[in-house]
Amino acid sequence: MSAETAEATGPAKDPVDGPSDAVSRRREQRGWYFYDFACSVYSTSVLTVFLGPYLTSIAKAAADADGFVHPLGIPVRAGSLFAYSVSVSVVVAVITMPIVGAAADRTGRKKPLLALAAYVGAAATTGMFFLDGHRYLLGAFLLIVANASVSVSMVLYNAYLPQIAEPDERDAVSSRGWAFGYTSGAFVLVLNLVLYTGHDSFGLSKPDAVRICLASAGVWWGAFTLVPLRRLRDRRVAPGGEGAVGSGWRQLMATLRDMRRHPLTLSFLLAYLVYNDGVQTVISQASVYGSEELGLDQTTLITAVLLVQVLAVAGALGMGRLARRHGAKRTILGSLVVWTLILVAGYFLPAGKPVFFYVLASAIGMVLGGSQALSRSLFSHLVPHGKEAEYFSAYEMSDRGLSWLGPLVFGIAYQLTGSYRDAIISLVIFFVIGSVLLARVPVRRAVAAAGNPVPERI
């Protein structure tokens, strides 16, 4: 595809490459928001709601008398297939993200790589329409491809932020992107739930309705990706350096060695890794806690997911405004206090009382989008100029590729105590340690050390 190009800026004094005209910059930002609008439907409708139970049912239908399926001759309990597939997709993403990030930085061609990752993921998701009968291997393969693709695409998407937004406006721009994503996720989930619950009136079986819901997320992802691809611009990089990415492992090691030159950036990334692991585990395990410990039905749990999506829009925008007044670091620290209180309240939730679960879901929604959006915008200030995609690949690995420790702690706590209440309260440690690590990062000095202009409030 053709792309507008602009000369790369030399020094890191102005991280926004290209025309200084505010109208052009706003147009590019609006296009950037729409990638969140496009791909968030996959995370909400496919990964969070529909695919896990449906793929598990297909695997159980194909299982032997002992409840095992045998992908590649390996005995796997049918109920574990979904979790193992997600784990494999994480490994694929972790290997791929640094390679793609480095390629984008060295060639300046983020947009073609974004298009490739997005449409591979959208095609895999749309292909889930063909999951029926005993096709659990097809389901596992499509899940691995789609989940790895969305992670890779987010590396490239996030790497645009320092280029399309001035330092003082990144908190707001990042928050609006999250708000767009939560809006689309909630909207499509409502449409899917209407189709699913009213499948008889549409002349569909339940499996047919689920397959349409899965495929529609892929169609949505692909269709709305056209907007950012039309509006985002590629930047030409300065001549010099290697022309090819080379070995993936060699590039990964080179990225890590380069990050060692910026220890304050690494300090923030470590803090983010810890507290984000807690956030991701709360989200992934909330439905298990609600169903197994609180005895809530599926309708209540899905409605709670919708509530989180809707309120996350307001939360992302509201925390963006707070960051403009108090700085991103203080606002994130405040959100981590709220996350800790959520876990304490969750420990004491009475069973069989949906209203209290909805209150907790509301609190999660109010801090979920904001804490993630502000973390992204704060990290963008700590990235050396010209290494945006490479560094955001490490950030994305922290966000998606390394979020295994929280579920492990949750599982061990349940295994040792037999109580999901003890398991959920065990996650407090991630928010406490993450808060301490973040509080110790001198962010103004970290921004300056990365060679970037220091915003008035950060």
Side-chain angles (χ1 to χ4, degrees):
M1 67 182 66
S2 63
E4 300 175 43
T5 58
E7 293 294 338
T9 54
K13 295 177 180 177
D14 182 9
V16 179
D17 193 4
S20 59
D21 180 71
V23 175
S24 298
R25 193 170 68 251
R26 296 288 185 270
R27 183 179 186 276
E28 199 167 4
Q29 289 170 4
R30 287 192 292 270
W32 185 80
Y33 300 149
F34 267 92
Y35 189 68
D36 238 327
F37 191 84
C39 72
S40 292
V41 171
Y42 165 80
S43 300
T44 304
S45 290
V46 177
L47 201 60
T48 304
V49 176
F50 288 109
L51 184 56
Y54 186 63
L55 182 57
T56 299
S57 69
I58 292 176
K60 287 183 176 179
D64 59 23
D66 296 322
F68 285 84
V69 291
H70 300 269
L72 305 178
I74 303 171
V76 173
R77 193 174 293 278
S80 299
L81 180 70
F82 177 73
Y84 288 154
S85 299
V86 172
S87 297
V88 172
S89 75
V90 168
V91 174
V92 173
V94 165
I95 293 172
T96 308
M97 285 189 291
I99 302 172
V100 173
D105 283 335
R106 294 184 182 190
T107 65
R109 303 286 286 172
K110 292 184 182 70
K111 190 157 69 169
L113 292 170
L114 175 62
L116 178 62
Y119 282 107
V120 168
T125 306
T126 305
M128 292 175 186
F129 177 79
F130 299 102
L131 297 183
D132 58 6
H134 293 177
R135 295 178 176 174
Y136 71 91
L137 277 177
L138 175 63
F141 173 74
L142 293 176
L143 169 58
I144 291 167
V145 172
N147 217 38
S149 295
V150 75
S151 296
V152 171
S153 71
M154 289 303 292
V155 169
L156 301 160
Y157 168 73
N158 288 336
Y160 270 104
L161 182 58
Q163 297 178 326
I164 65 172
E166 299 283 3
D168 289 334
E169 63 182 359
R170 286 184 200 163
D171 290 342
V173 170
S174 182
S175 296
R176 290 190 198 107
W178 280 104
F180 265 60
Y182 284 117
T183 299
S184 70
F187 177 71
V188 175
L189 185 56
V190 167
L191 295 180
N192 287 341
L193 287 178
V194 169
L195 178 65
Y196 178 75
T197 56
H199 61 88
D200 286 334
S201 61
F202 292 102
L204 299 170
S205 65
K206 277 189 177 181
D208 288 341
V210 170
R211 292 190 297 114
I212 291 173
C213 291
L214 293 172
S216 67
V219 173
W220 181 284
W221 185 358
F224 283 99
T225 295
L226 291 173
V227 179
L229 292 182
R230 285 181 62 87
R231 294 196 173 189
L232 291 173
R233 298 181 300 106
D234 277 332
R235 273 77 175 171
R236 199 184 324 168
V237 297
E242 296 181 30
V245 175
S247 165
W249 289 109
R250 187 177 65 214
Q251 181 56 47
L252 175 60
M253 296 308 297
T255 301
L256 294 176
R257 282 196 301 270
D258 188 75
M259 291 190 74
R260 287 166 55 191
R261 296 169 48 227
H262 302 278
L264 297 180
T265 300
L266 272 176
S267 296
F268 171 80
L269 201 58
L270 176 61
Y272 175 74
L273 186 154
V274 173
Y275 70 73
N276 182 67
D277 205 350
V279 171
Q280 298 302 323
T281 307
V282 172
I283 298 305
S284 65
Q285 302 301 321
S287 60
V288 175
Y289 184 70
S291 60
E292 299 297 325
E293 186 68 34
L294 304 181
L296 304 176
D297 58 32
Q298 187 68 27
T299 301
T300 299
L301 298 176
I302 294 176
T303 307
V305 171
L306 271 173
L307 186 60
V308 169
Q309 294 292 310
V310 172
L311 291 179
V313 176
L317 296 176
M319 286 183 63
R321 294 191 184 96
L322 285 174
R324 287 198 296 271
R325 295 183 58 184
H326 305 289
K329 177 182 173 180
R330 290 181 180 177
T331 306
I332 295 170
L333 285 171
S335 75
L336 298 182
V337 173
V338 176
W339 276 109
T340 303
L341 294 175
I342 286 171
L343 291 177
V344 173
Y347 179 83
F348 292 104
L349 278 187
K353 302 290 184 181
V355 64
F356 293 105
F357 192 73
Y358 287 141
V359 171
L360 207 64
S362 300
I364 289 174
M366 293 304 294
V367 294
L368 175 61
S371 57
Q372 292 177 319
L374 293 178
S375 297
R376 177 173 64 186
S377 63
L378 180 55
F379 183 71
S380 73
H381 293 284
L382 310 181
V383 177
H385 182 65
K387 295 183 177 291
E388 291 86 2
E390 190 173 345
Y391 272 57
F392 265 109
S393 69
Y395 178 87
E396 194 68 16
M397 287 170 66
S398 298
D399 189 10
R400 297 172 185 269
L402 300 179
S403 55
W404 54 269
L405 184 58
L408 179 63
V409 170
F410 185 92
I412 291 175
Y414 177 75
Q415 181 173 332
L416 293 177
T417 67
S419 168
Y420 281 106
R421 294 185 187 273
D422 292 336
I424 202 74
I425 200 67
S426 70
L427 301 178
V428 166
I429 190 171
F430 289 93
F431 296 103
V432 173
I433 295 177
S435 297
V436 171
L437 292 175
L438 178 59
R440 292 172 59 87
V441 178
V443 291
R444 300 184 71 84
R445 185 148 54 91
V447 174
N452 296 321
V454 182
E456 182 179 350
R457 291 191 181 279
I458 191 169

